[in-house]
Amino acid sequence: DAKTTQPPSMDCAEGRAANLPCNHSTISGNEYVYWYRQIHSQGPQYIIHGLKNNETNEMASLIITEDRKSSTLILPHATLRDTAVYYCIVRVQGSQGNLIFGKGTKLSVKP
Amino acid sequence: NAGVTQTPKFQVLKTGQSMTLQCAQDMNHEYMSWYRQDPGMGLRLIHYSVGAGITDQGEVPNGYNVSRSTTEDFPLRLLSAAPSQTSVYFCASSPRDRVSGAFFGQGTRLTVV
């Protein structure tokens, strides 16, 4: 599986967009980029995934560079409830059964 | 739709005691897995299963046993609890044949004294 690199922490003002980067320079052609988040003490929550096209759902947008070596998770209007640790994971389809979590990015949304 | 259900939510054990953490899912997912999370740390994979009757070890399997007799259930057994197993345990499930994220339970907070 491709290794990912994320900044350990980021701050964002409430109501502003939060842009969380992830580097995955060794990603293979059949590997997807998945994002999860973990709000304090809760179970991780799946957010979004993508292969090569940009994706959007009700929670976030995912922008993947053309060479697929990096991606950005965008929370368009961050709220205090978005304060969490965000994990970027690269895996092939149908292989979410044995995830290896890195340290993720601790996003702090401030009023 | 219950999703992934873990019981109990909290448990205190004495060193050397045994217990089983229960995990059930109602989404007919093939994959199920167990993770532990120590304070201030990320999640680490203990054991996982790709279907009924099939299990495999993750990053930190020592001290834990699992079995998968049905698609719905994936219990985690601690045979002889140790203080080093004090942690929060999360169970997850996911489908095999489509692109989807994993679904996690709300966790079991275990303290071994």
Side-chain angles (χ1 to χ4, degrees):
Chain A
D1 298 323
K3 179 179 171 59
T4 62
T5 303
Q6 299 177 251
S9 64
M10 294 182 64
D11 290 341
C12 177
E14 188 177 20
R16 304 295 296 268
N19 297 283
L20 293 94
C22 179
N23 286 323
H24 32 78
S25 59
T26 60
I27 190 170
S28 300
N30 63 343
E31 289 182 313
Y32 289 74
V33 180
Y34 291 84
W35 283 84
Y36 290 82
R37 74 179 181 183
Q38 186 176 26
I39 297 171
H40 180 63
S41 297
Q42 298 181 18
Q45 177 188 25
Y46 161 76
I47 302 172
I48 197 168
H49 69 270
L51 182 62
K52 52 185 177 181
N53 297 322
N54 298 338
E55 302 288 344
T56 295
N57 63 20
E58 64 278 5
M59 291 182 65
S61 294
L62 175 61
I63 308 298
I64 303 174
T65 58
E66 190 170 347
D67 63 8
R68 302 210 323 124
K69 292 185 178 182
S70 65
S71 60
T72 302
L73 179 74
I74 300 172
L75 308 178
H77 305 288
T79 70
L80 299 179
R81 288 175 293 182
D82 292 320
T83 292
V85 178
Y86 288 77
Y87 297 97
C88 168
I89 299 175
V90 175
R91 296 300 299 269
V92 298
Q93 174 181 338
S95 66
Q96 299 295 293
N98 53 340
L99 296 171
I100 303 298
F101 286 82
K103 296 187 186 307
T105 296
K106 168 67 174 173
L107 175 68
S108 298
V109 181
K110 300 181 183 299
Chain B
N1 190 357
V4 178
T5 303
Q6 292 184 234
T7 55
K9 288 186 170 52
F10 301 93
Q11 183 70 50
V12 178
L13 286 180
K14 293 183 179 179
T15 298
Q17 285 185 317
S18 63
M19 81 159 294
T20 299
L21 279 62
Q22 302 291 344
C23 176
Q25 54 98 2
D26 61 359
M27 296 171 283
N28 203 33
H29 286 167
E30 293 86 356
Y31 288 138
M32 294 187 75
S33 47
W34 278 101
Y35 300 83
R36 63 176 287 175
Q37 186 171 35
D38 300 327
M41 305 281 288
L43 285 84
R44 291 184 291 171
L45 180 66
I46 305 172
H47 286 285
Y48 64 100
S49 169
V50 300
I54 305 170
T55 64
D56 208 344
Q57 296 181 350
E59 302 170 276
V60 289
N62 293 339
Y64 307 95
N65 280 355
V66 292
S67 59
R68 183 96 180 269
S69 56
T70 67
T71 299
E72 295 79 18
D73 301 299
F74 191 44
L76 178 72
R77 282 183 287 275
L78 284 72
L79 299 179
S80 178
S84 60
Q85 293 179 305
T86 294
S87 190
V88 181
Y89 292 83
F90 292 101
C91 178
S93 75
S94 59
R96 182 182 63 194
D97 295 326
R98 57 186 173 90
V99 182
S100 168
F103 295 80
F104 285 79
Q106 287 306 300
T108 295
R109 188 174 298 274
L110 175 67
T111 301
V112 183
V113 298

